[in-house]
Amino acid sequence: MENIYLPKLAEIKEIIQETADTKTIRLTIDGGSIDFLPGQFGEFSFIGEGESTFGFSSSPLRKEYFEFSFRSSGRATTGINSLNQGDKIAFRGPYGNYFDTSKMKGKDLVFVGGGIGMAPVKSIMEYCLDERDDYGKITILYGARSVGDLLYKGIFDEWKKYKNTEVIITVDPGGETPDWTGKVGFVPTVLEQLPLKGENSVAIVCGPPIMIKFALKSLEEKMGFDKSNIITTLENRMKCGLGKCGRCNVGSVYVCKDGPVFTAKELESLPNDF
Amino acid sequence: MANTKTDEKLQKIAKDLLESGEVSLVIGYAKGSNLQRMRPVFITKAEDAGKLSFNPHAVQDLAVFLKKPEVKKFGKIGIVVKGCDEKAVNALIQEYQISRDNIKIIGMECNGVIRQSLADKGETNLSESAVYDKCLICEEHIPVLYDFLIESEEPKLVLSGNVKPYSGIEKLESMSAEEKNAFWAKEFDKCIKCYACRQACPLCYCSRCIVEKNMPQWIDTNSEETGNAQWNLIRAYHLSGRCIGCGECERACPVNIPLMLINEKMAKDVYNMFGYKSGLDINAKPVFGVFSESDFNDFIK
Amino acid sequence: MSRIGVFVCWCGSNIAGTVDVEKVREEAAKIPGVVSALDYKYMCSDPGQNSLRNIIKEKNLTGIVLAACSPHMHENTFRKAAAKEGLNPYFVEIANIREQVSWVHEDKERATAKAVDLMKMMVEKVKRDRPIEDVRVPLNKKALVIGGGIAGIQAALDIANGGVEVILVEKEPSIGGRMIQLDETFPTLDCSSCIMTPKMVEANQHPNIKLYTYSEVEDISGYIGNFKVKIKKKARSVVEKDCTGCGECWNACPMHKNVKSEFNVNLSERTAIYVPFPQAVPLVPVLDRSVCLHFKKGGKCQKCYDACGPKCINFDLQDEIIEETVGAIVASTGYDLMDTSMYGEYGYGKYKDVISGLQFERLLSASGPTEGLIKRPSDGKTPQTIVFVQCVGSRDPEKGVPYCSKVCCMYTAKHAKLFAHKVHGSQSYVFYIDIRSTSKGYEEFVRGTMEQDGAIYLRGRVSKIYEDEGKLIVKGADTLSGNQVEIAADMVVLATGVIPKKGSDKLAQMLGISYDKYGFFTESHPKLRPAESSTAGIFLAGMAQGPRDIPESVVSGSAAASKILGLFSKNEYEVEGTIANVNEATCVACFYCQRVCAYNAISKKEIKDRSGKLIKVVANVNPGLCTGCGACVNACFSKSIDVKGFMDDQIYAEIKALAV
Amino acid sequence: MEDKDVKKEEHKGRKHVEDSQGDPRIIAFVCNWCTYSGADLAGTSRMKYSDNVRVIKLPCTGRIDPLFIVEAFKKGAKGVLVSGCHPGDCHYTSGNYHSRRKYATFRDLLGYLGVDLDRVEFSWVSASEGNKWVSIINEFTDKIKSLPGKSTDIFTKK
Amino acid sequence: MEEKYFEISAENLKKFVDSIIADNFEVIAPTDKDGGTFYGKISRFEEANLDILLPKMSYKEYLLPKTETLLEYSFSGVDTEIKDGLEAVAGANEKRVIFGGRPCDAGAGPIMEKVFNWDYKDEFFNERFKNLTIVSIACEKPDNYCFCTEMQLSPESSYGSDILLKKAEGKYFAVVTSEKGLNLIEPYINLFKETAKAQVPADKDWKKLFEIERTKSFLDKNFEHNYFQDRFLSCIGCGVCTYTCPTCHCFDIQDEGNLKEGRRIRNWDSCQFGVFTLHTSGHNPRVTQGDRYRQRLMHKFKIYSEKFDKYLCVGCGRCSRNCPEDIDIKEVAKDLADMA
């Protein structure tokens, strides 16, 4: 008999302060990563304070650790936030479906992330970068409310080093600092100005609902992306992650098991319950 | 079933209120899923006023709906209330949850409502043994505040004195701490933490209940002896001096915990200690919003 | 990320003698989140503080726990030390293992266990500390003084002399208050108007004082530094700036002898247009519309207008509302005399020659109705025997008030003395309960009245006063001799107790300051903050706070002034950041928090969407007023308000740390 | 309690005695201004008292929520003390008055639900009443120790 | 197992129940207490109330306790120790019999089993379900709130029961559907008389008031419909419907403990609560009570059946009987069917 609710303990290898209120935590189990696929998520907990659901933000190909990014807000995340390097985090997973890379191979890729929604995008994006030759042109568009709200600031340059890869970082108007050299503008607006074509391309979009809504519109209507080639992830409230607790239903879909990764086409068939 | 005179009066008032635009919603009672049940009904069109009805099966305290955001949206609301329920309206006004200007109170003179458990078995006659305990001690057969009053067609309840309302309170008071503890442990053991008592209470209007606050988690989430006791304690505490005695918590409780034994006891003691009864005066200051230098001090060393 | 440093102080052997400090340190090191644990002989010493500072830097600490003496001793010391290293000073918590452990327990093992518990509690608390920034409130450097008696005038002058603008509001037509009604003052017997009038004039002429007489404060909102005040300037019917105070108008008024003079406590009459007394400041009459024939009889009479040279009488003047913004307020509304009708047996009101102490003052006063000659109100004869009755109303929980009115013993002695001086060969009797004469020169003064001026002091209460053949028969007890006494007097003077000024409770409510059950304003702390009200920025002076004599009133006026000048010496008012904070998302606006707040710090706030539509109403904490007491947290059912420094989750964690 | 009631001996050494309650934990919630200072005074006066008590400091009795009492019992305390400024002495003018109403009601409710009221104590201890603090703690500890070992509170698992 | 049929006299049935109690079985049966009838442990046959149609609560808690410890943890310094909560569940219900429940309650078990096993296997549920023996009694007179027939069961269905008793003149017929059932009666087999299926009275022809497929087809097409918002204005979100429901199985996971030790538990939860789907960000997909009641209908009559080929409802009618505001789910389901 196996207790599906029983977590494993993972050690905190590194804590990266991303913004004033978000962090990325790198974990290891027995010195390495676990088997997961980009887009999947796990239940992370500071034991005693409860579990919290986060998507993985690292590439599974980077075997020395696995990571997630989070903002401290509730009881569980505040607990996690208080931990130090070397402390243990309880972890269950990986759960859910994943970005199907077989359908992305050989195509041009567009990664669009907004705010902390960049975390799952980063996972698949770095996965693709790690196997750079399998894909066509890669465009990365990442935006946040302000310069201070941008995650992963230290590694933008790393992304840029890959061949045939364009990295565009933008902040919402008013969120720029005097020394800001990136773009200023909302993500969907900046996206629209990019010379992208839907044909033979896959777009991966994740961020706040309003950003997703407009980004999908731009991709579909202005750039001609096919709905089945636009992929996003849903962030419903979850508890078990195992399709039991009844919380994450959207229509007939259990987001924790049938998702969290959906194509725009799949989303279209779901009722507005997320 | 034919309209009674009461029903006709009620329908007329609601119709006028809606037609004149004085209110955009009337909350009242309509015939329910069987003859011994009434259910809340929400009338927004004058032509639907005919659905309204009132009889001794109108057990619900409709004031509970005044806390619902979906209902609040209607702005000016007319509400059908019995005397006990109306006290809840007053308490809500006292606690700034609704404004007197936005509510039209259609008061029903009420000589008692029949226990639902008996009604479900077919009881239809108002009698001392058929009504709720609250009806036996009722001092507000006519609501203390109303814009319209409809007199009752039901005969006044004849009290023989054989049925002693809330007699459990005295019994409990005479028990030792351990006996009381054993009594309540058994009762709370039944609790399933469905929070129906809270949802059915017109005065539990917090948008986030304290049990839903998890930083910190003052009330254990478990539905075992500890979490159940804490929940029942905090619910009773938050209603001490506020409960108006409509008994909806107890009626809603699916496992029959005698919650009114707690509520009534606290109401009694708050009255004895501070001379305050809830819901009687919209201008009165709630008992825990004020103090007196000469308050009960005996228990403090 | 918690990076906590724990420092265990030995305090020499004070702690280390009873508590195993090393064990406390070892236990600290085991707690998750604690990255440094040390023990040291004297943490409060310079080397101790330096090591603390070094470790903050070295280990990049996010919080500090000192297991040491009481926080009341050195919390500030360590907070300052931490602040010097850039750590928020509120990230320092103290586990009190000296006063509450080592000094009170003996069993070392158990004391150590307790010390460990207290240390753990504080570690859990400090982990949940949030940075607290002290709140700065900008100050409008202008003060409002309510009440122009001696206390208010003193406060106004002191503030004005400190270079700050003052608005002085007086309800009556003239400033001067009660003191200007008095004759000579104890114990020096200097003439009240001689010392008061110059102050009144100074206040009137001071460039920094704006005087509003015949005016009342109508509404006050806001908070320290930024009170919005509405002052109602009642229609005087006289244009102040044109009036010369010549007196032609009141001389011309036909309403002579018809209206009782308030100033002379009904012992004389005044006209409808009048100045309350000749030295009034400003010397501008007021037209009493409730008795003026012009207003009562349809505008026919305008004799005053006709008599007025500069034609400054204007029957059409209206009440005026003046709005001012001030940074601080002094409430010095003074007192009234108790109504003594409950002492029917004394015959006040029934017998003309039974008068109050204040009336006697007016009889003594050279500017009074008798020009300083003591004459009976009934027949104008000079009394030869006067009985003075003390404690009429005061110290009488049954009929009057339980408190002592404080000034009666002294003014009665003064009255008896002046009576002896003015009417040679006269005799006075004083019924007293106790004689309270504790200030400088007071006891000597009373002794003098007894010994040099021959007043006979009888210890006891008067039971009845009645008239018999033109004499007032005073029956009473002399409890010292045990005899019943009966005195035939020509006049009886009742030392009536003092009560707060009528309407001061309303003002207190408006100001949001607290008052006791009698209506006297309560000080923020009876000993340590006697000049402050419970509300920040509002100060108290004079009898409005409780019975006191002139020197004390002057001191309190100056005290209030110095507090305000101190406050205004900075551009911003700094409040400790440990204040309440509302979770607007969950607040349901029941306003129990507002009901229990003693500081008026909670108000309603409307949250509106972009189009201006009201989304919800929530409670809002005014940081300038909040003191962080936390009563609101206790009052909030949904726990939507919390107080920084003692947050709910911190207390929870402390209790959690104590689990057995 | 009058000062004269406080026996001199209590200020001397106090030996810890094990009993049916084991080592009962007592949690005291006290206000910063009066009782905490009173407890400090007991310390500076080197009075001795029971070491079963753990003090949690709050700004005012007005901040001492009845929930704290519940939480203390939940975490295994056998006795809970709430103490603050005497009526009229509140540093924040009325915190203790407001709380007194709540405590009276809450205590009543606790008793009705079967909590042994001997386990909840309320007191007013001023900053000058170090000796009162000592006797309150000692008497309360003795009382708790004398209570039957069987817990009657409803907040801990049996 | 192939069904077996027995006859047992009323007297023997009493003997049987008293015997298993004597042999240390915990027998849970409808019993009168607290001013109502609830499932509870009985100490003799007479304590069972077999006349009541349905106890107020279902016996769901014996499969999914209202609070269940998933794991226990303890700390020593920075080290965390985790103890599997499953150990305590091993063998749960092995000597527990639910006696005298109705076919609708019995039907709930196998329906719930699907969600607890559709991918990840929830052994807490499985262990309890596997071991629990269910002896039900067929209904003779369903009431107005009953609609098991519409929910693909019937008052005489043996689905989910290990033994179904059907009352006859002075005796009962026992339909034994499982090894578990057989094992239970085995030691007392002399009280039973095996008989043939043909001897067992045939099921009556229970009429349906509406077709649940039509309800579903309305739900398939109408996510946004005024009906939901209007009809459920009277819903106060008390959750009694979900808590008393034999098939509602939503739960919450919480930690509770102190700095030394504690446990992770799962508690019953309800889709009727506003916080159920509330995101940390403040966004809530289901804002109104109408949204939330719709979810319950969807889950019962659409979502579950699409996923697991069974409706998540046995038609027991408890949610209607217990609703303080008299919302009748049968009436609602029929309304929807009529609108389809």
Side-chain angles (χ1 to χ4, degrees), chain A residues 3 5 7 45 47-48 50-51 73 75 95 235 237 239 243-245 247 249 251-252 257-258 273, chain E residues 70-71 73 84 115 118-120 122 124 250-252 255 264 266 269 275 278-280 286 303 306-307:
Chain A
N3 181 349
Y5 304 99
S45 61
I47 289 248
E51 293 180 323
S73 52
R75 178 177 160 197
Y95 297 134
E235 311 211 326
R237 189 161 183 219
K239 282 283 178 179
K244 316 282 179 226
C245 79
R247 205 164 305 256
N249 295 140
S252 301
K257 288 208 25 67
D258 306 324
D273 205 17
Chain E
L70 299 177
L71 60 91
Y73 56 81
D84 190 342
V115 70
W118 67 299
D119 185 348
Y120 298 98
D122 186 318
F124 289 91
C250 290
F251 60 82
D252 187 15
D255 287 7
R264 177 163 292 166
R266 72 159 156 209
D269 204 346
V275 289
L278 181 69
H279 293 198
T280 330
R286 298 177 200 138
I303 300 174
E306 283 173 7
K307 203 100 202 169

Side-chain angles (χ1 to χ4, degrees), chain C residues 63-74:
Chain C
I64 290 173
V65 171
L66 283 127
C69 56
S70 169
H72 291 180
M73 289 291 298
H74 279 306

Side-chain angles (χ1 to χ4, degrees), chain B residues 6 17 25 37 63 76 84 103 107 109-110 121 125 138 157 171 178 184 209 227 240 257 287 294 299:
Chain B
T6 304
L17 280 173
L25 168 72
R37 280 198 186 193
K76 302 225 176 211
C84 45
I103 190 130
E109 184 187 2
C110 165
K121 287 179 188 147
N125 287 326
C138 178
L157 209 56
K171 226 178 281 170
E178 264 174 39
W184 289 114
C209 176
S240 299
I257 299 173
V287 67
S294 57
F299 66 100

Side-chain angles (χ1 to χ4, degrees), chain C residues 70-72 96 99-100 103-106 110 114 117 121 598-599 629 634 639 643 646 648 652 658 660, chain D residues 13 16 23 25 32 36-37 40 43 47-49 51 53-54 57 62-65 71 75-76 92-93:
Chain C
S70 169
H72 291 180
N96 183 347
E99 281 83 346
Q100 297 192 10
W103 280 351
V104 290
H105 304 315
E106 286 172 329
R110 295 180 57 82
K114 181 171 174 181
D117 275 351
M121 272 164 61
Y599 302 95
C629 74
N634 207 346
K639 293 281 161 274
V643 60
F646 293 93
D648 251 20
Y652 182 84
L658 284 180
V660 274
Chain D
H16 180 77
D23 183 20
R25 170 64 51 85
N32 177 42
Y36 194 85
S37 301
D40 273 0
M47 297 169 175
K48 301 290 180 244
Y49 58 85
D51 52 25
V53 67
R54 303 288 183 267
K57 183 179 79 154
R63 178 69 184 89
I64 303 174
D65 198 303
E71 195 60 33
K75 298 291 182 261
Y92 302 101
T93 69

Side-chain angles (χ1 to χ4, degrees), chain C residues 373-376 379-385 419 422-423 490:
Chain C
L373 299 174
I374 302 174
K375 289 179 180 171
R376 306 213 303 185
D379 53 11
K381 284 187 189 154
T382 302
Q384 295 302 313
T385 310
F419 178 47
K422 291 202 171 182
V423 183
D490 300 315

